[in-house]
Amino acid sequence: MRLLLSKRVILSRLAGLALLAAALGWLFDLTTEFLLLLAAGIIAWHYKHLFLLDKWLWRDRKLSPPAGDGSWQQVFDGIYYRQRKARKKNKDLRALVRRFRDGAEALPDAIVVLSLDWTIVWCNKLAQQMAGLRWPMDERQRIDNLIRNPEFQQYLQQQNFEQAIELPSPLTEDLTLEYRVLQYGEKQYLLIIRDITQLKQLEQIRKDFVANVSHELRTPLTVLQGYLEMMEPEHLPQQAIWQKAHSVMLDQTKRMDNLVQQLLTLSRIEAAAKVHYDENVDVPAMLTLLEQEAHSLNREKQHQISFDIDLNLRVNAITEELRSAFSNLVTNAIKYTPDGGDIKVSWRREHHKAVFTVTDNGEGIAPQHVKRLTERFYRVDQARARTTGGTGLGLAIVKHVLSRHQSRLMIFSEPKRGSSFSFALPPELVVGELTANQPKLPKKLK
């Protein structure tokens, strides 16, 4: 318990010392001199403790107070108590600020605390990465002097913060940022910066998807409508014209049906729940049937098609999806390789992985097109795609199927030197070789 200084006690002590000095002075007939000597001693005593206090507060690194006499010890103890209390409050405040900053750093958005004059009070690391701010060098700098975009500066001047503003990143044009200002407290603003690049890309993909589907369906529908308008119920066209019209309408109907089926397949794959690889897929048998279908599709093209299949290699996968991936890659090679080409299909075990490869010696693909081949409706040559009846969805389906099977499509191509499409299923999906009691099969199917 702290003892408070008592005026009564101090005055009584001073009165006692004065009486003692007066008594001694009366004995020696030096009363005035003794009283002056007492006053000087009291002043010296106080200055001694003042110097101790000054040394402790400004020069001494010790936290504990110096040893004092009398009432000065109570003063030292009081200051020490206040210091301890202030240190505890500062520690709690630093912990609170640290928790606030840790929470702000954990947010997925960039945060900038601004004062009323738009000077920066604090910002997190994302703000430094996304908006190019530097901390603590940019402290007390105006935000509109650092983000020098006219639209952003106008946004701050108007102070209408009901809607956010979308601007390119000051660091790179490839990123699109959303800026939103919130007022909190009495004299502070909170600037929230969010990376919406992916959202904008998805929105653009959605728009492109709707536009592409509309375009793909418009052409066959226009053809069908034109022929139907030409045919009046009372005056049917001649047999030769009817046969041609019937053939064209049938082709266009098949094209629309193929497009719808591809869209349904892609939608079903994307909307599928968690993958369970509980099907032991007999890939050699699947590829044997696919080889027969490939030779049937190859009657007009007259390619040299060879299948190199490891008949002991099976995998755990989703049968229909895997068949779709195989079929799309082989069908594309047949369709887009010029007549009389050479196509090789391989299903082999490599480094404990199951690797499927389709190689052709066709026209090849330019590098700027390779990275976009798996986009929906993307075609290297629009005219050739219409001739072959392609929908532009085959490789997009392959991409999604492989991502659900822990793999990805590898494309190697050079103009005039052909192309190679391949993927590898991971070892955990490979079943292993057939048991010894099963019949041995030839190593290759030609």
Side-chain angles (χ1 to χ4, degrees):
M1 181 176 179
R2 294 182 296 109
L3 298 176
L4 299 178
L5 290 176
S6 172
K7 294 180 181 178
R8 182 179 300 174
V9 172
I10 293 176
L11 290 175
S12 62
R13 287 178 181 175
L14 288 175
L17 289 174
L19 289 174
L20 178 62
L24 291 174
W26 179 77
L27 288 177
F28 295 98
D29 196 19
L30 296 172
T31 303
T32 303
E33 288 79 357
F34 269 86
L35 289 175
L36 290 174
L37 184 61
L38 174 63
I42 292 174
I43 292 173
W45 180 76
H46 279 294
Y47 268 102
K48 170 191 171 184
H49 287 86
L50 280 175
F51 283 122
L52 288 175
L53 178 61
D54 178 78
K55 180 182 178 183
W56 176 45
L57 293 179
W58 300 107
R59 287 172 287 175
D60 202 346
R61 296 183 179 181
K62 295 180 180 179
L63 296 178
S64 58
D69 301 322
S71 57
W72 274 103
Q73 185 62 51
Q74 289 181 266
V75 174
F76 292 158
D77 291 342
I79 296 175
Y80 177 64
Y81 170 77
R82 290 291 181 179
Q83 285 182 335
R84 287 184 57 190
K85 192 173 181 181
R87 282 196 295 270
K88 185 178 183 303
K89 286 185 177 180
N90 288 337
K91 183 179 180 181
D92 294 341
L93 182 60
R94 286 195 299 270
L96 181 62
V97 172
R98 190 180 300 110
R99 287 196 296 269
F100 164 76
R101 291 189 175 183
D102 290 343
E105 294 290 358
L107 291 175
D109 302 325
I111 303 295
V112 185
V113 179
L114 304 171
S115 60
L116 284 178
D117 59 353
W118 307 120
T119 57
I120 298 174
V121 178
W122 180 81
C123 67
N124 63 357
K125 291 182 180 178
L126 271 181
Q128 302 172 49
Q129 297 172 5
M130 294 168 59
L133 303 180
R134 299 176 301 166
W135 182 261
M137 288 76 77
D138 289 338
E139 186 178 8
R140 295 302 169 189
Q141 296 291 325
R142 287 179 60 94
I143 188 68
D144 49 355
N145 289 336
L146 300 176
I147 303 179
R148 305 187 62 83
N149 187 298
E151 294 184 38
F152 179 72
Q153 295 177 349
Q154 185 179 5
Y155 178 68
L156 294 181
Q157 292 172 1
Q158 292 177 349
Q159 295 195 9
N160 182 12
F161 303 133
E162 294 182 2
Q163 299 293 330
I165 183 174
E166 298 177 5
L167 299 171
S169 169
L171 300 180
T172 172
E173 294 290 332
D174 296 334
L175 294 180
T176 303
L177 304 180
E178 178 189 76
Y179 296 83
R180 182 180 297 274
V181 177
L182 302 175
Q183 185 173 7
Y184 76 102
E186 296 182 355
K187 299 181 180 180
Q188 290 190 110
Y189 286 101
L190 194 66
L191 175 62
I192 303 175
I193 308 174
R194 178 174 300 171
D195 185 357
I196 59 170
T197 306
Q198 188 174 9
L199 292 177
K200 300 294 288 185
Q201 290 175 347
L202 291 175
E203 179 66 18
Q204 188 60 44
I205 290 174
R206 184 190 66 81
K207 291 179 181 179
D208 293 343
F209 176 76
V210 173
N212 285 322
V213 170
S214 302
H215 176 75
E216 292 296 331
L217 291 176
R218 185 185 297 117
T219 301
L221 287 175
T222 301
V223 173
L224 292 175
Q225 182 180 357
Y227 277 113
L228 291 174
E229 289 176 351
M230 184 181 67
M231 299 177 186
E232 298 180 0
E234 297 82 4
H235 304 287
L236 293 176
Q238 298 178 1
Q239 184 67 21
I241 298 177
W242 166 247
Q243 288 180 351
K244 180 180 179 182
H246 179 270
S247 175
V248 173
M249 287 191 293
L250 184 61
D251 289 342
Q252 296 299 327
T253 303
K254 289 180 178 179
R255 178 180 173 184
M256 284 192 296
D257 180 69
N258 186 33
L259 174 62
V260 172
Q261 292 299 328
Q262 295 267 37
L263 287 172
L264 289 175
T265 300
L266 189 57
S267 177
R268 184 175 64 253
I269 293 173
E270 289 180 333
K274 185 177 180 180
V275 185
H276 296 283
Y277 308 110
D278 53 0
E279 300 180 37
N280 189 324
V281 182
D282 188 354
V283 176
M286 181 186 296
L287 293 178
T288 300
L289 293 176
L290 182 59
E291 182 184 15
Q292 298 173 5
E293 296 173 3
H295 285 302
S296 241
L297 186 62
N298 186 43
R299 288 175 182 171
E300 295 182 3
K301 292 279 192 174
Q302 294 298 308
H303 298 310
Q304 295 295 324
I305 304 178
S306 62
F307 277 68
D308 181 7
I309 303 172
D310 184 346
L311 295 179
N312 292 328
L313 182 56
R314 301 187 181 196
V315 294
N316 289 321
I318 304 173
T319 305
E320 293 302 322
E321 293 186 8
L322 202 58
R323 180 186 291 114
S324 176
F326 289 148
S327 178
N328 274 300
L329 292 178
V330 174
T331 302
N332 280 354
I334 295 173
K335 284 183 177 180
Y336 297 113
T337 301
D339 295 356
D342 186 13
I343 299 174
K344 297 179 180 179
V345 181
S346 171
W347 172 250
R348 308 297 299 172
R349 185 193 302 270
E350 296 181 9
H351 306 292
H352 305 290
K353 297 181 179 181
V355 181
F356 180 78
T357 307
V358 178
T359 306
D360 64 68
N361 63 344
E363 298 178 358
I365 305 166
Q368 66 268 23
H369 296 298
V370 170
K371 60 182 180 181
R372 300 192 59 190
L373 285 179
T374 56
E375 295 180 12
R376 300 179 188 186
F377 296 107
Y378 184 81
R379 298 186 180 95
V380 176
D381 188 340
Q382 295 284 350
R384 187 175 65 171
R386 293 192 182 96
T387 303
T388 58
T391 63
L393 293 172
L395 291 182
I397 292 175
V398 173
K399 174 185 175 182
H400 283 80
V401 168
L402 296 182
S403 67
R404 284 164 53 81
H405 288 78
Q406 307 172 36
S407 183
R408 63 191 183 98
L409 183 63
M410 304 295 293
I411 305 174
F412 301 95
S413 183
E414 292 184 32
K416 308 300 181 182
R417 300 190 64 178
S419 306
S420 173
F421 295 78
S422 64
F423 62 85
L425 298 180
E428 52 265 30
L429 297 184
V430 178
V431 174
E433 296 186 357
L434 297 176
T435 56
N437 58 352
Q438 290 179 297
K440 296 292 183 179
L441 298 173
K443 291 186 178 180
K444 291 188 178 181
L445 286 178
K446 295 291 185 181

